[in-house]
Amino acid sequence: MKHIPFGTTGEMVSPYCLGTMIMGTQTDRPTSFKMLDRFLDLGGNFLDTANCYAWWSGKTATGDESESLLGDWMRERGNRNEVFLATKGGARLKSINRVRDAQGNVAWDKVVDNYEYLSTHALRKAAEDSLRRLGTDHIDLYYVHIDDRRTPQEETLEVLNNLVKEGKVRYIACSNFRTWRMERARSISASNGWASFTAIQQQYSYLRPKAGADFGINVNVDEELLDYLRANPDVTLMAFSPLLKGIYDDEKKRAAYYNWHLFNTDDSRARLDVLNRMAREMNISNSQLVMAWLLHHEPRVIPIVGVRTLEQFDIAMSALDIRLTPEQMDFLNKASA
Ligand SMILES: NC(=O)c1ccc[n+]([C@@H]2O[C@H](COP(=O)([O-])OP(=O)(O)OC[C@H]3O[C@@H](n4cnc5c(N)ncnc54)[C@H](OP(=O)(O)O)[C@@H]3O)[C@@H](O)[C@H]2O)c1
């Protein structure tokens, strides 16, 4: 994998970031270790986790699993310095038992009131706990995982800046922020001479959601953000759920996808039609073509690969070798109802 600049930070990262959300829960430990080894062997260095992955994966999951697994893997391999490590705070739950019953069923409507959010106390503890679980003295990229409209942004940004000053965090970023909230935060940081967000992590894939689609605490990329990014190359777009949970090659999975009602439009059908035709001509899967489209995207996008099995991992990696011409990109971009 040929590394690319991470915005204007001077850091070089792999064009793919490997998502580790379900490592240690839905993907077992030996498979996760193999996947991580394989990613590094291929030249990957960018890893994404969070301090809450993945508490919803069964009745005994705590949310420590992914970070702890990464900590163990880096310790066993002695490779902390080969990795550009991103984690997040703010979306861990104050108490899992308030939202999950003994069988492991989650009351999702109660989750939003149970996040730790972004106060000085919550964020400081979140970062220190992540460092401990990851077995490291620094996090390369530290995200606030969700927006918090109850805590003044100055408060959150000051803690983040202190973490940077102390060397515990190298760069900061946000996730699931509206563009205006990110811009306001960046201007507060700038006027105080504090560290500023260098990346934003949002949901982004080839299909476009309905206007006004409500993803709850999550935010999908929109035109406003893309316009902002074109004018601000110092902010990198990190795309989560690039395959929308794997709906591109399986109609049944698409129909069963919990957010399909937010994508079930003529626009999506037109885009799926173009995707199907082009993928068939190129003898690749729709999923591979979606990943290739993201890798060719302007403004630059770093997709966060979400895979459960080694087979899915290999498919995602094979998309790195797909070359799309400007005409093909144009054809994909212009597809609409
Ligand atoms: N900031 C945030 O709020 C946020 C939110 C979500 C995720 N993330 C980050 O983004 C990463 C990726 O997100 P995600 O897991 O939601 O990604 P995704 O791309 O939406 O979905 C991954 C799922 O797609 C399916 N899949 C993968 N490759 C496939 C293939 N070749 N063919 C068919 N199905 C395939 C698998 O589903 P099956 O398990 O059904 O096989 C896999 O679990 C996470 O690991 C995490 O680091 C961040």
Side-chain angles (χ1 to χ4, degrees):
M1 257 179 268
K2 192 165 175 282
H3 287 193
I4 56 169
F6 182 57
T8 53
T9 59
E11 301 293 330
M12 297 297 283
V13 291
S14 45
Y16 267 153
C17 175
L18 183 62
T20 66
M21 182 167 74
I22 56 175
M23 290 190 180
T25 51
Q26 291 161 59
T27 305
D28 66 28
R29 196 180 168 89
T31 309
S32 302
F33 273 40
K34 270 191 204 147
M35 203 180 277
L36 289 160
D37 288 343
R38 211 178 273 188
F39 186 62
L40 256 67
D41 285 347
L42 290 170
N45 70 340
F46 201 166
L47 299 178
D48 186 79
T49 184
N51 69 342
C52 59
Y53 290 164
W55 66 263
W56 56 90
S57 301
K59 54 188 177 188
T60 55
T62 61
D64 290 359
E65 289 82 359
S66 169
E67 284 190 334
S68 299
L69 181 141
L70 283 181
D72 291 347
W73 174 74
M74 290 186 296
R75 198 173 307 114
E76 265 189 35
R77 302 292 188 263
N79 63 4
R80 171 65 189 92
N81 293 336
E82 292 166 44
V83 167
F84 192 77
L85 184 61
T87 191
K88 320 183 190 78
R92 196 176 164 95
L93 297 185
K94 285 184 261 184
S95 163
I96 294 177
N97 293 336
R98 275 190 234 149
V99 305
R100 193 176 68 193
D101 68 18
Q103 284 72 48
N105 303 307
V106 176
W108 285 103
D109 56 324
K110 291 191 187 150
V111 168
V112 76
D113 290 326
N114 274 287
Y115 288 126
E116 290 181 349
Y117 287 109
L118 308 178
S119 67
T120 305
H121 174 74
L123 211 47
R124 163 70 57 185
K125 180 169 185 322
E128 302 281 0
D129 287 348
S130 285
L131 286 166
R132 179 178 45 75
R133 278 190 292 270
L134 290 162
T136 181
D137 59 359
H138 70 281
I139 292 159
D140 295 297
L141 182 65
Y142 193 62
Y143 290 92
V144 283
H145 201 159
I146 49 177
D147 198 357
D148 174 2
R149 303 227 181 163
R150 289 171 265 198
T151 303
Q153 283 190 310
E154 285 79 359
E155 179 176 334
T156 301
L157 294 163
E158 188 168 17
V159 198
L160 291 173
N161 186 59
N162 286 337
L163 288 166
V164 172
K165 276 200 305 196
E166 291 159 26
K168 293 178 174 166
V169 163
R170 296 182 61 219
Y171 301 99
I172 60 166
C174 60
S175 181
N176 298 304
F177 268 48
R178 298 275 166 201
T179 307
W180 73 267
R181 292 280 294 170
M182 172 177 61
E183 171 52 25
R184 176 176 283 184
R186 278 168 47 86
S187 79
I188 292 170
S189 299
S191 63
N192 284 287
W194 293 341
S196 189
F197 293 148
T198 56
I200 180 162
Q201 185 176 137
Q202 311 282 82
Q203 178 173 280
Y204 194 42
S205 185
Y206 179 62
L207 294 190
R208 300 180 283 213
K210 289 177 185 173
D214 181 2
F215 291 97
I217 205 79
N218 290 137
V219 180
N220 201 85
V221 168
D222 58 12
E223 282 304 319
E224 178 81 15
L225 178 61
L226 293 177
D227 186 49
Y228 181 90
L229 295 167
R230 280 184 202 104
N232 292 274
D234 53 330
V235 182
T236 299
L237 174 58
M238 305 293 301
F240 76 72
S241 302
L243 292 180
L244 297 176
K245 305 295 175 188
I247 64 167
Y248 283 99
D249 291 292
D250 183 342
E251 267 180 53
K252 274 196 209 132
K253 213 169 169 186
R254 200 178 300 155
Y257 171 42
Y258 56 89
N259 273 338
W260 180 239
H261 61 290
L262 300 173
F263 289 94
N264 188 3
T265 60
D266 288 343
D267 186 71
S268 288
R269 275 179 283 284
R271 281 170 97 80
L272 281 169
D273 191 42
V274 166
L275 202 64
N276 278 325
R277 276 190 281 142
M278 195 183 285
R280 217 171 305 134
E281 274 166 25
M282 297 175 75
N283 203 20
I284 57 176
S285 67
N286 290 351
S287 301
Q288 285 169 304
L289 186 50
V290 169
M291 296 309 280
W293 174 79
L294 283 165
L295 289 165
H296 285 74
H297 193 284
E298 274 305 323
R300 168 111 68 198
V301 173
I302 300 183
I304 309 178
V305 176
V307 285
R308 185 175 48 82
T309 65
L310 288 169
E311 191 193 0
Q312 292 172 349
F313 172 86
D314 289 340
I315 292 171
M317 295 302 134
S318 70
L320 286 163
D321 298 325
I322 299 171
R323 294 282 165 268
L324 296 175
T325 63
E327 292 73 28
Q328 285 173 313
M329 280 303 283
D330 205 41
F331 196 52
L332 287 166
N333 287 332
K334 287 194 175 146
S336 69

